[in-house]
Amino acid sequence: MNGARALLATLVDNGVEVCFANPGTSEMHFVAALDDVPEMRSVLALFEGVATGAADGYARIADKPAAVLLHLGPGLANGLANLHNARRAHVPMVVVVGDHATYHKQFDAPLESDIEALAGSVSGWVHRTERTADLAADAVDAVSASRSGVVSTLILPADISWGPAPETDAAQPKPESPGEVDRGALRGAAEVLRSGADTVVLIGGDATRVGGLSAATRIAAATGARVLCETFPTRLRRGAGVPAVERLAYFAEAAEAQLAGAQHLILAGAVSPVSFFAYPGKRSDLVPDGCQVHTLAEYDSAAVALEQLADDLAPGAEAAVAAAARPDLPSGPLTAVSVAAVVGALLPQDAIIVDESNTAGVTLAASTAGAPAHDVLTLTGGAIGYGMPTAVGAAIAAPDRPVLSLQADGSAMYTVSALWTQAREQLDITTVILNNGAYDILRIELQRVGAEGAESPGPKARDLLDIGRPTLDFVQIAQGMGVPAQRVHTGEEFAAALEEAFGEPGPHLIEAVIPSLVG
Amino acid sequence: MNGARALLATLVDNGVEVCFANPGTSEMHFVAALDDVPEMRSVLALFEGVATGAADGYARIADKPAAVLLHLGPGLANGLANLHNARRAHVPMVVVVGDHATYHKQFDAPLESDIEALAGSVSGWVHRTERTADLAADAVDAVSASRSGVVSTLILPADISWGPAPETDAAQPKPESPGEVDRGALRGAAEVLRSGADTVVLIGGDATRVGGLSAATRIAAATGARVLCETFPTRLRRGAGVPAVERLAYFAEAAEAQLAGAQHLILAGAVSPVSFFAYPGKRSDLVPDGCQVHTLAEYDSAAVALEQLADDLAPGAEAAVAAAARPDLPSGPLTAVSVAAVVGALLPQDAIIVDESNTAGVTLAASTAGAPAHDVLTLTGGAIGYGMPTAVGAAIAAPDRPVLSLQADGSAMYTVSALWTQAREQLDITTVILNNGAYDILRIELQRVGAEGAESPGPKARDLLDIGRPTLDFVQIAQGMGVPAQRVHTGEEFAAALEEAFGEPGPHLIEAVIPSLVG
């Protein structure tokens, strides 16, 4: 067998069963070998950012890595923004970047570039395989490294891929070493929580599923501490029957209000809260003055740490859970608020919400708080264009769960060809485009940063935030990629369209026309 | 004034008059300052790769840099592939990457990443401004550096942008130092060319316009040397009345045939020919055995070197030019060949062809050889997704020239939102999508690389090269972004549509449905 086949066989032997691909010439042996390894599912993307975002979504739901196949430095470059988000999400992923043959690199052919520099900016593990005989072992290392919650990037020169590989037994993964709980941190947190001082427990990482949420809310009930969730969790469980935890707000002013009065901040899988951006005259560090910060656990051991802490502080206590409740179906012209109400009213059981609604989703959390239990995936790294690709991966990881992709119009256009992969794979994804014709977040930010003249921005500044000239017709764009689509203007129309989309298999897109918040 | 305004004022004082932008929060002061600097035209892109590709196309036609405004590391990442092409094209460009405020970086906010690592992979000049007082001088340096044919990347922290800038006289650019001709290289080339040995002059860089082409063909006529043009020139002048120079073929086998027998290879603005990719058992270096390679001039001094050489070797000789000739209009079902014939038959005077037709453009050069004189822009770095953005920039640089964007279906989908900017700016661009429903180049390459089982690739391998499942409907996609579009299936339909598009101002898209070459 050749190197490519050995690599693929090793990946599937190590639990990697899906490869999101956008290949080129240097990956042709990898592509040809796919037919020899039937256990590997290959999913084509028309753009690399779709492939990397899909692998992120897959990992968030499957709790294991997918592979991504990319073409040289420019292919990796196109996938970097969603790898940035994956890095912030601490998800496992194995990125295979095909490169020129080892002996060909010296010639500086047109596509030659510095792959290591790009890979290093997003990866926790980077390695270039220099001998075909090493490929299987390198693949095991890549998968093992990724399982600690990082992007592993394996650079695969074309001749390493086509060279003869030794017949070996399937290489097995190294045993996983789950994050360990720091006993001292546990004792320190318990002491703080017993003291009666005003304390916030900020959860994130693996603590945003039922186990961590339950433990955190039990601790809160027993000690009077407040619990908050990081602003952009990788995967947050919520809805009826799930302990409800409020998320830290995106806007720093609101986050400061949530944290006000805290004398202690205990971090369980989250990082210390900072403003998403800097603003003139405003604080970057959102920890209140005089508040002491304690790190209980990192992202990969927060749930178990909280559970041990809860068993210590709140033995026998039960976590309070959210009651089932749905908003009434709204009528009349759609707004961001009524879109969220319809979603809350109609969300199916055990849905996955991929949330890139940005400003248009401001009331989404409230509207869905009592909806049937569901998972929410969020924009962990802030690099827009994550939503529609991530929905692809989530749907492939959980083919029996409905995926609702809530997508702002502006960010939709970064990786819009994800719709084509949704159609190709007939994934059960309902995409709602929240079309307000603007980069609304930037209209708000232009005021918040206190830009000179921002009280009355000039026509050129306003124009750069106006994406309604010309109007983007997402119905035509979606249909052009094979996804059935319709446009809605009222609550009634949206509810009917959403019920229809949830009721039918395969992808659907609904363009919800709403007013800009800022105008 | 603040830093942003000082930066913009300095850019326009130094001849940078267009900014292709995809801004975010950290760029809001730059955006707000645009209204204070009316000489700077701002053009919004919905994706960063559109902005960088547009700046490349602008520079190729305007012969001066545009600015690009990008948002932090992920924004730069999304623009990298077209910056890679710009690097290979040796075009000037000033990329401004907004970053977090200097004091904010320590907090590792979600969008924080290693901007320098990314910028370094494509830029000839990278600088982070640390004090607002330095911004104007840094901008002068950025523009000056770019004029040697490189991407300059200026990293602009938000607080440097919003901080107070000193009122200064407009900073002036450093004088340009055109590439110098190496006298020894000139003498050596003259000696080779006088020797009567079989010699190929391979031209590229600035020698692919009328001056360099005329000089090279005069030399050939006087000495018997053959002239070839590099495979992917930045901007090639050709057509009726222009000295005709054949391009070196993309496929290595064909290029080797063109170079066969050469005892000397003189490089005038081109690099020594290498295979685009490596293939098992095939050569990477395409220089024939025993052939001596001589570098006459680099990319920025090739035209003047050839002109001096021509004055020495061929005084008084006139360059032979291509005769006016057009193919007959074809009829019946469209093929790649008949598409090219229609283009050759109908191309308007002084058009700009942006060529990303890939396999579908195989007969384009022959069909347009005698068409009215025109410029051809090509895929210099091999990173697909360059065509539609580059057409944006070319049309903005030359509003009175028709731009014909020949675009393969697969590569169209990387940066398809360029169509929206074409509509927004009402650019006179005719886009022809050559829709064969496949990554045809990869079907060919799968055979050429000799992949295991490639004679009869399996269904999974074939599926990864098939983009016709589902069919991409470019008419709907274009209309969804505001560009009028129609689909054509015959020579007659295509000719009518092309005449209509050339006859009307503003953007048009024609989807030409053609069979795959490979099937």
Side-chain angles (χ1 to χ4, degrees), chain A residues 22 34-35 40 84 88 104 108 110 112 275 284 414 420 424 458 460-461 463 466 469-470 473 476 479-480, chain B residues 22 34-35 40 84 88 104 108 110 112 275 284 414 420 424 460-461 463 466 469-470 473 476 479-480:
Chain A
N22 186 257
L34 283 166
D35 285 288
M40 180 66 84
H84 171 86
R88 294 291 185 185
H104 193 71
D108 193 34
E112 177 69 26
S275 178
S284 290
Y414 286 71
W420 181 83
R424 180 178 176 93
K460 287 170 74 180
D463 192 47
D466 173 10
R469 180 173 73 78
D473 179 337
Q476 289 209 69
Q479 288 176 167
Chain B
N22 187 257
L34 283 165
D35 284 288
M40 179 66 83
H84 171 87
R88 294 293 186 182
H104 193 71
D108 193 34
E112 177 68 27
S275 178
S284 289
Y414 286 70
W420 181 84
R424 182 177 174 92
K460 286 170 74 181
D463 192 48
D466 173 11
R469 181 173 74 75
D473 179 336
Q476 290 209 67
Q479 288 174 348

Side-chain angles (χ1 to χ4, degrees), chain A residues 1-2 5 21-26 28-29 31-48 69 71-72 74 77-78 80-81 84 87-88 100-101 103-104 107-114 117-118 121 158 162 232 250 274-282 284-285 380-384 410 413-414 416-417 420 423-425 439 441-442 445-446 449-452 454 457-477 479-482, chain B residues 1-2 5 21-26 28-29 31-48 69 71-72 74 77-78 80-81 84 87-88 100-101 103-104 107-114 117-118 121 158 162 232 250 274-282 284-285 380-384 410 413-414 416-417 420 423-425 439 441-442 445-446 449-452 454 457-477 479-482:
Chain A
M1 72 170 97
N2 66 12
R5 186 170 168 181
N22 186 257
T25 297
S26 39
M28 282 302 100
H29 287 85
V31 168
L34 283 166
D35 285 288
D36 298 321
V37 185
E39 301 86 350
M40 180 66 84
R41 177 175 179 182
S42 49
V43 177
L44 181 61
L46 294 178
F47 178 70
E48 295 87 348
L69 181 66
H71 180 49
L72 295 146
N78 283 334
L80 280 178
H84 171 86
R87 176 171 78 90
R88 294 291 185 185
H100 286 307
Y103 59 84
H104 193 71
F107 296 108
D108 193 34
L111 276 163
E112 177 69 26
S113 69
D114 187 347
L118 304 185
S121 72
W162 77 54
F232 291 107
Y250 168 79
V274 300
S275 178
F276 207 83
F277 293 104
Y279 302 91
K282 294 182 184 164
S284 290
D285 184 351
T380 50
I384 57 175
M413 292 304 293
Y414 286 71
V416 70
S417 74
W420 181 83
R424 180 178 176 93
E425 302 291 330
Y439 287 133
I441 183 70
L442 295 183
E445 295 283 32
L446 184 63
V449 297
E452 189 177 339
K460 287 170 74 180
R462 285 202 309 271
D463 192 47
L464 273 190
L465 312 184
D466 173 10
I467 63 171
R469 180 173 73 78
T471 300
L472 284 161
D473 179 337
F474 284 95
V475 173
Q476 289 209 69
I477 292 170
Q479 288 176 167
M481 299 192 204
Chain B
M1 72 173 97
N2 67 11
R5 184 169 169 181
N22 187 257
T25 297
S26 38
M28 282 302 99
H29 287 85
V31 168
L34 283 165
D35 284 288
D36 297 321
V37 186
E39 302 86 351
M40 179 66 83
R41 176 175 180 183
S42 49
V43 177
L44 181 60
L46 294 178
F47 178 69
E48 295 87 347
L69 181 65
H71 181 49
L72 294 147
N78 283 334
L80 279 178
H84 171 87
R87 177 172 77 93
R88 294 293 186 182
H100 286 308
Y103 60 84
H104 193 71
F107 296 107
D108 193 34
L111 276 162
E112 177 68 27
S113 69
D114 187 347
L118 304 184
S121 72
W162 77 54
F232 292 107
Y250 168 79
V274 299
S275 178
F276 206 84
F277 293 106
Y279 303 91
K282 294 180 183 165
S284 289
D285 184 352
T380 49
I384 56 176
M413 291 304 293
Y414 286 70
V416 71
S417 73
W420 181 84
R424 182 177 174 92
E425 301 291 330
Y439 288 134
I441 184 70
L442 295 183
E445 295 284 32
L446 185 63
V449 296
E452 189 179 336
K460 286 170 74 181
R462 285 201 308 272
D463 192 48
L464 274 190
L465 312 184
D466 173 11
I467 62 171
R469 181 173 74 75
T471 300
L472 285 161
D473 179 336
F474 284 97
V475 172
Q476 290 209 67
I477 293 170
Q479 288 174 348
M481 299 192 204

Side-chain angles (χ1 to χ4, degrees), chain B residues 343 353-357 364 404-408 430-432 434:
Chain B
V343 169
I353 297 179
V354 181
D355 183 16
E356 197 172 27
S357 55
L364 183 70
L404 175 62
S405 176
L406 297 174
Q407 184 60 61
T430 300
T431 300
V432 177
L434 297 136

Side-chain angles (χ1 to χ4, degrees), chain B residues 309-337:
Chain B
L309 199 57
D311 289 345
D312 179 17
L313 296 171
E318 293 218 355
V321 297
R326 288 192 187 262
D328 294 332
L329 276 173
S331 64
L334 273 179
T335 63
V337 173

